[in-house]
Coordinates of all heavy atoms in Angstrom, one line a residue:
Chain A
Q37 N 0.5 7.9 7.6 CA -0.2 6.8 8.1 C 0.3 6.4 9.5 O 1.4 6.0 9.6 CB -0.2 5.6 7.2 CG -1.1 4.4 7.7 CD -1.0 3.2 6.8 OE1 0.0 2.9 6.2 NE2 -2.2 2.5 6.7
K38 N -0.5 6.6 10.5 CA -0.2 6.2 11.9 C -0.6 4.8 12.1 O -1.6 4.3 11.4 CB -0.8 7.2 12.9 CG -0.2 8.6 12.7 CD -0.7 9.5 13.8 CE -0.1 10.9 13.6 NZ -0.6 11.9 14.6
P39 N 0.0 4.0 13.0 CA -0.3 2.6 13.3 C -1.8 2.4 13.5 O -2.5 3.1 14.2 CB 0.4 2.3 14.5 CG 1.6 3.2 14.5 CD 1.1 4.5 13.9
G40 N -2.4 1.4 12.7 CA -3.8 1.0 12.8 C -4.7 2.0 12.2 O -6.0 1.8 12.4
Q41 N -4.2 3.0 11.5 CA -5.1 4.0 10.9 C -5.0 4.0 9.4 O -4.0 3.5 8.8 CB -4.8 5.4 11.5 CG -5.0 5.5 13.0 CD -4.8 6.9 13.5 OE1 -4.8 7.9 12.7 NE2 -4.6 7.1 14.8
A42 N -6.0 4.6 8.7 CA -5.9 4.8 7.3 C -4.9 6.0 6.9 O -4.7 6.9 7.7 CB -7.3 5.1 6.7
P43 N -4.4 5.9 5.8 CA -3.5 7.1 5.3 C -4.4 8.3 5.3 O -5.6 8.3 5.0 CB -3.1 6.6 3.9 CG -3.2 5.1 3.9 CD -4.4 4.8 4.8
V44 N -3.7 9.4 5.5 CA -4.2 10.8 5.4 C -3.4 11.6 4.5 O -2.2 11.7 4.6 CB -4.3 11.4 6.8 CG1 -4.7 12.9 6.7 CG2 -5.2 10.7 7.8
L45 N -4.1 12.3 3.6 CA -3.4 13.2 2.6 C -2.8 14.4 3.4 O -3.6 15.1 4.1 CB -4.3 13.6 1.5 CG -3.8 14.5 0.4 CD1 -2.9 13.7 -0.5 CD2 -5.0 15.1 -0.4
V46 N -1.5 14.6 3.3 CA -0.9 15.8 3.9 C -0.4 16.8 2.9 O -0.2 18.0 3.3 CB 0.2 15.4 4.9 CG1 -0.4 14.6 6.1 CG2 1.3 14.6 4.2
V47 N 0.0 16.4 1.7 CA 0.4 17.3 0.7 C -0.1 16.8 -0.7 O 0.0 15.6 -0.9 CB 2.0 17.4 0.6 CG1 2.4 18.2 -0.6 CG2 2.5 18.2 1.9
Y48 N -0.6 17.6 -1.5 CA -1.0 17.2 -2.8 C -0.4 18.2 -3.9 O -0.1 19.3 -3.6 CB -2.5 17.1 -3.0 CG -3.3 18.4 -2.8 CD1 -3.6 19.2 -3.9 CD2 -3.6 18.9 -1.6 CE1 -4.3 20.4 -3.8 CE2 -4.3 20.1 -1.4 CZ -4.6 20.8 -2.6 OH -5.3 22.0 -2.4
D49 N -0.3 17.7 -5.1 CA 0.2 18.5 -6.2 C 1.6 19.1 -5.8 O 1.8 20.4 -5.9 CB -0.8 19.6 -6.6 CG -1.9 19.1 -7.5 OD1 -1.8 17.9 -7.9 OD2 -2.9 19.8 -7.7
D50 N 2.4 18.3 -5.3 CA 3.8 18.7 -4.9 C 3.9 19.5 -3.6 O 4.8 19.2 -2.8 CB 4.5 19.5 -6.1 CG 4.6 18.7 -7.4 OD1 4.6 17.5 -7.4 OD2 4.8 19.4 -8.4
S51 N 3.1 20.5 -3.5 CA 3.4 21.4 -2.4 C 2.1 22.0 -1.7 O 2.3 22.9 -0.9 CB 4.3 22.5 -2.9 OG 3.7 23.2 -3.9
D52 N 0.9 21.6 -2.1 CA -0.3 22.2 -1.5 C -0.7 21.4 -0.3 O -0.5 20.1 -0.3 CB -1.4 22.2 -2.6 CG -1.1 23.3 -3.7 OD1 -0.4 24.3 -3.4 OD2 -1.7 23.1 -4.8
R53 N -1.3 22.0 0.6 CA -1.8 21.3 1.8 C -3.3 21.3 1.9 O -3.9 22.4 1.7 CB -1.3 22.0 3.1 CG 0.2 21.7 3.5 CD 0.5 22.4 4.8 NE 0.0 23.8 4.8 CZ 0.7 24.8 4.3 NH1 1.9 24.6 3.8 NH2 0.2 26.1 4.4
P54 N -3.9 20.2 2.2 CA -5.3 20.2 2.5 C -5.6 21.0 3.7 O -4.8 21.2 4.5 CB -5.6 18.7 2.7 CG -4.4 17.9 2.1 CD -3.3 18.8 2.3
S55 N -6.9 21.4 3.8 CA -7.3 22.1 5.0 C -7.1 21.3 6.2 O -7.4 20.1 6.2 CB -8.7 22.6 4.9 OG -9.6 21.5 4.8
G56 N -6.6 21.9 7.3 CA -6.4 21.2 8.5 C -5.0 20.6 8.7 O -4.6 20.2 9.8
I57 N -4.2 20.6 7.6 CA -2.8 20.1 7.7 C -1.9 21.3 8.1 O -1.9 22.4 7.5 CB -2.3 19.5 6.4 CG1 -3.2 18.4 6.0 CG2 -0.9 19.1 6.5 CD1 -3.3 17.2 7.1
P58 N -1.1 21.1 9.2 CA -0.3 22.3 9.7 C 0.7 22.7 8.6 O 1.2 22.0 7.7 CB 0.5 21.6 10.8 CG -0.3 20.5 11.3 CD -1.0 19.9 10.0
E59 N 1.1 24.0 8.7 CA 2.0 24.6 7.7 C 3.4 24.0 7.9 O 4.3 24.2 7.0 CB 2.1 26.1 8.0 CG 0.8 26.9 7.6 CD 1.0 28.4 7.8 OE1 2.1 28.8 8.2 OE2 0.0 29.1 7.6
R60 N 3.6 23.3 8.9 CA 4.9 22.6 9.1 C 5.2 21.6 8.0 O 6.3 21.2 7.8 CB 5.0 21.9 10.5 CG 4.8 22.9 11.7 CD 5.0 22.1 13.0 NE 4.0 21.1 13.2 CZ 4.3 19.8 13.1 NH1 5.5 19.4 12.8 NH2 3.3 18.9 13.4
F61 N 4.1 21.1 7.4 CA 4.3 20.1 6.3 C 4.4 20.9 5.0 O 3.5 21.7 4.6 CB 3.1 19.2 6.3 CG 3.1 18.2 7.4 CD1 2.6 18.6 8.7 CD2 3.5 16.9 7.3 CE1 2.6 17.7 9.7 CE2 3.5 16.0 8.3 CZ 3.0 16.4 9.6
S62 N 5.4 20.6 4.2 CA 5.6 21.2 2.9 C 6.2 20.2 2.0 O 6.8 19.2 2.4 CB 6.4 22.5 3.0 OG 7.8 22.2 3.5
G63 N 6.1 20.6 0.7 CA 6.7 19.6 -0.3 C 7.3 20.4 -1.5 O 7.1 21.6 -1.7
S64 N 8.2 19.7 -2.1 CA 8.9 20.2 -3.3 C 9.1 19.1 -4.3 O 9.1 17.9 -3.9 CB 10.2 20.9 -3.0 OG 11.1 20.0 -2.4
N65 N 9.4 19.4 -5.5 CA 9.5 18.4 -6.6 C 10.3 18.9 -7.7 O 9.9 19.9 -8.3 CB 8.1 17.9 -7.0 CG 8.2 16.7 -8.0 OD1 9.3 16.1 -8.1 ND2 7.2 16.5 -8.7
S66 N 11.4 18.3 -8.0 CA 12.2 18.7 -9.2 C 13.1 17.6 -9.6 O 13.6 16.8 -8.8 CB 13.1 19.9 -8.7 OG 13.9 20.3 -9.8
G67 N 13.4 17.5 -10.9 CA 14.3 16.5 -11.5 C 13.8 15.1 -11.2 O 12.7 14.8 -11.6
N68 N 14.6 14.3 -10.5 CA 14.2 12.9 -10.2 C 13.9 12.7 -8.7 O 13.8 11.6 -8.3 CB 15.4 12.0 -10.6 CG 15.7 12.0 -12.1 OD1 14.7 11.9 -12.9 ND2 16.9 12.0 -12.5
T69 N 13.7 13.8 -8.0 CA 13.4 13.7 -6.5 C 12.3 14.7 -6.1 O 12.4 15.8 -6.3 CB 14.7 13.9 -5.7 OG1 15.7 13.0 -6.2 CG2 14.4 13.6 -4.2
A70 N 11.3 14.1 -5.4 CA 10.4 14.9 -4.6 C 10.7 14.8 -3.1 O 11.2 13.7 -2.7 CB 8.9 14.4 -4.9
T71 N 10.4 15.8 -2.4 CA 10.7 15.8 -1.0 C 9.6 16.4 -0.1 O 9.0 17.4 -0.5 CB 12.0 16.7 -0.7 OG1 13.1 16.3 -1.5 CG2 12.4 16.7 0.8
L72 N 9.3 15.6 0.9 CA 8.3 16.1 1.9 C 9.2 16.6 3.1 O 10.0 15.9 3.6 CB 7.4 14.9 2.4 CG 6.5 15.2 3.6 CD1 5.4 16.2 3.2 CD2 5.9 14.0 4.2
T73 N 8.9 17.8 3.5 CA 9.7 18.4 4.6 C 8.7 18.7 5.7 O 7.6 19.3 5.6 CB 10.3 19.8 4.1 OG1 11.2 19.5 3.0 CG2 11.1 20.4 5.3
I74 N 9.1 18.3 6.9 CA 8.3 18.5 8.1 C 9.2 19.3 9.1 O 10.2 18.9 9.5 CB 7.9 17.2 8.8 CG1 7.2 16.2 7.8 CG2 7.0 17.5 10.0 CD1 7.0 14.8 8.3
S75 N 8.8 20.6 9.3 CA 9.5 21.5 10.1 C 9.1 21.3 11.6 O 7.9 20.9 11.9 CB 9.3 22.9 9.7 OG 9.7 23.1 8.3
R76 N 10.0 21.7 12.5 CA 9.7 21.6 13.9 C 8.9 20.4 14.3 O 7.8 20.4 14.8 CB 8.8 22.9 14.3 CG 9.5 24.2 13.9 CD 8.7 25.4 14.3 NE 7.4 25.5 13.6 CZ 7.2 25.8 12.4 NH1 8.3 26.2 11.6 NH2 6.0 25.9 11.8
V77 N 9.6 19.3 14.0 CA 9.0 17.9 14.2 C 8.5 17.7 15.6 O 9.2 18.1 16.6 CB 10.0 16.8 13.8 CG1 9.5 15.5 14.2 CG2 10.1 16.8 12.3
E78 N 7.3 17.1 15.7 CA 6.7 16.8 17.0 C 6.6 15.3 17.2 O 6.6 14.5 16.2 CB 5.3 17.4 17.1 CG 5.3 18.9 16.9 CD 3.9 19.5 16.9 OE1 2.9 18.7 16.9 OE2 3.8 20.7 16.8
A79 N 6.5 14.8 18.4 CA 6.3 13.4 18.6 C 5.1 12.8 17.9 O 5.2 11.7 17.4 CB 6.2 13.1 20.1

Side-chain angles (χ1 to χ4, degrees):
Chain A
Q37 185 180 34
K38 295 182 178 180
Q41 298 183 19
V44 173
L45 182 71
V46 293
V47 168
Y48 66 95
D49 283 351
D50 298 339
S51 59
D52 291 333
R53 280 186 313 278
S55 61
I57 301 301
E59 292 183 3
R60 300 184 298 104
F61 288 82
S62 62
S64 62
N65 184 18
S66 179
N68 292 318
T69 304
T71 303
L72 173 70
T73 300
I74 309 172
S75 304
R76 303 180 299 282
V77 166
E78 303 172 356

